[in-house]
Structure formats: structure tokens, C-alpha cells
Amino acid sequence: QVQLVESGGGSVQPGGSLRLSCVASGFTADYYAIGWFRQAPGKEREGVSCISALDGSTTYVDSVKGRFTISRDDAKNTVYLQMNNLKSEDTAVYYCAVDRATENHYYCEDYSPNYWGQGTQVTVSS
């Protein structure tokens, strides 16, 4: 059974840190770009970061550059999102996603995420 399971969310004060994990099962994540997305209440879902398969290239939305770091451990079928210096505007449900429907699933610039985890809540508040 194909699954993406996110964890690591929680409540932190502004300036704090969290590390999110996305564990893939039921398929070999080594060959898939994996992205992190977030959705805040009343807002559209936003792509936050992505890490490609094979070369490990990464992308970030401008608002998190310098604060968030994406990484992957293919031996553990896991992708991480290290989030530092968190701000209130980072509050959202965070999801990871892969492209399980097309052959363009290797690189972030090509993939169309269509398989999602259940999400993990991140709340940044004083």
C-alpha cells in the first residue's frame, strides 16, 4: 500500500524550529522528487520546497529561503524539512507529495504532485 506519512508538526513560538518528516512506504522513494506544500486557513495550497531524485537538487519558495532546508535519506525512504526562525505566517498544515501518475517523477521542475500525505499541523504563535 502506497503511503506518505508526515510527522513533526507542533506549536512553537516565533523564532523557534521544527523538523518535519515524510516517510514513504509501498514504493521506492529514491526515484521520486518529493515536495512539501502547506495550506493555511482560508488560503490556497502553496508549494514550499522540493527535492529531486537522483541529483538531490532543491527548490524553495522565496518566503522560506534561508530558513528552511529540505533533505532526503533514501535509505530510510524519508524526506525532511528543517524549519528554523519560524514566523507566524508559516502557520499551516504541511503536506508532502509525489507524482505517482506520470513518468516525470524524478525532478522537481518536471513533476506534477498527485499523491499526498495526510498533513501535519504547524502553529507559530506567541
Side-chain angles (χ1 to χ4, degrees), residues 12-120:
V12 296
Q13 294 185 339
S17 298
L18 287 171
R19 188 177 80 155
L20 306 184
S21 298
C22 170
V23 179
S25 60
F27 68 102
T28 304
D30 307 29
Y31 301 110
Y32 290 81
I34 298 180
W36 283 100
F37 296 77
R38 64 187 179 187
Q39 188 164 21
K43 294 188 176 181
E44 293 187 356
R45 187 170 55 202
E46 173 187 40
V48 176
S49 183
C50 179
I51 186 164
S52 294
L54 305 182
D55 67 358
S57 56
T58 59
T59 64
Y60 298 92
V61 67
D62 285 347
S63 60
V64 308
K65 285 180 180 177
R67 300 188 298 121
F68 291 11
T69 303
I70 192 170
S71 62
R72 64 191 300 155
D73 184 342
D74 288 336
K76 296 182 178 180
N77 257 19
T78 301
V79 169
Y80 303 98
L81 186 67
Q82 177 67 44
M83 306 187 297
N84 297 328
N85 191 21
L86 283 160
K87 304 176 180 181
S88 58
E89 51 263 42
D90 296 318
T91 295
V93 178
Y94 283 70
Y95 303 88
C96 59
V98 297
D99 179 352
R100 290 281 298 169
T102 81
E103 294 183 351
N104 300 319
H105 53 74
Y106 294 94
Y107 297 102
C108 298
E109 56 263 37
D110 299 325
Y111 88 143
S112 299
N114 46 59
Y115 198 89
W116 302 82
Q118 84 290 346
T120 185

